[in-house]
Amino acid sequence: MKPQVWVRHGVLITYGAALDTALHRHHAIQLVWAKGVSSCQWQAGSVSGNIIIDSQVEHKLQLNEGWILLVEPQSELGLRLRQMIAGKEVIQFNHLLEPYSKPNPKRRPNELLAPLLNTLNLTFTVDPQSAPTLDRRIQTLLTKLDRCLQGECQKPANWRASEVASELSMSESRFRHLFRTEMGIAWRPYLRWRRLSCAITAMMSGCSATESAHLTGFADSAHLSRTFRAMFGISIQQAKALFASRSS
């Protein structure tokens, strides 16, 4: 079994094995579809099997083998997952889902995940702009950020809150308030999350950690590595093993 990684608008998808993370938290809602043993530990307890973990819940994850989806909370899929969670931090769902799909280079990950999504009455709609409730100015901003995943990266120096606010014709304080209200997270940590997504894309394309850090606005590879471990619970070296397998 080769580990796999896909980065798409609003979602990061991995398929891996023997995963044992340190304590971490991130902006995304996490969905784990396990083949075999898996467990999640967090402050309120522990649970095993197939799991949905809400945004910003600090947790440790052990996974024998299976799929992990990190979903943008304000996407259509993220909003549906949050409805399923219904205010809880972590929930378990049916661990006997069949058929179970492994990665196949001839098929897209959303096709392979269809049995899971169909069982949960979900659709693979992950673009944050698809959420009908978002303010149009925030939708415009997210569209610009998404260009990074299309190979048009812009360094975070171009994304200072004051500059973004000016471009959107509002004060910085108004922008910060609106963004937090619409997205459920402050601008700065959200931008850090998006920068990490860009760094993953860069490393998947063959860039070193140092090159990826420079391209995405981190001070150096050590800064990128610390941020990566804090958000994903694994090291850059562990992650690059996934990226190498994806490109092989």
Side-chain angles (χ1 to χ4, degrees), residues 15 28 57 85 129 183 197 222 228 230:
Y15 188 96
V57 174
I85 294 171
Q129 297 92 279
M183 297 296 292
S197 297
F228 197 96

Side-chain angles (χ1 to χ4, degrees), residues 48-99:
S48 60
N50 293 337
I51 306 162
I52 302 174
I53 307 168
D54 201 4
S55 171
Q56 301 297 350
V57 174
E58 192 171 46
H59 64 281
K60 295 173 65 175
L61 180 66
Q62 293 180 312
L63 178 65
N64 181 56
E65 182 178 343
W67 292 93
I68 296 176
L69 284 74
L70 298 177
V71 181
E72 180 69 49
Q74 290 299 328
S75 67
E76 186 173 326
L77 177 56
L79 293 173
R80 286 283 292 112
L81 288 172
R82 185 151 277 169
Q83 288 177 351
M84 293 177 62
I85 294 171
K88 298 181 176 67
E89 292 183 319
V90 180
I91 66 168
Q92 181 188 43
F93 60 92
N94 182 9
H95 63 285
L96 298 176
L97 289 173
E98 294 292 348

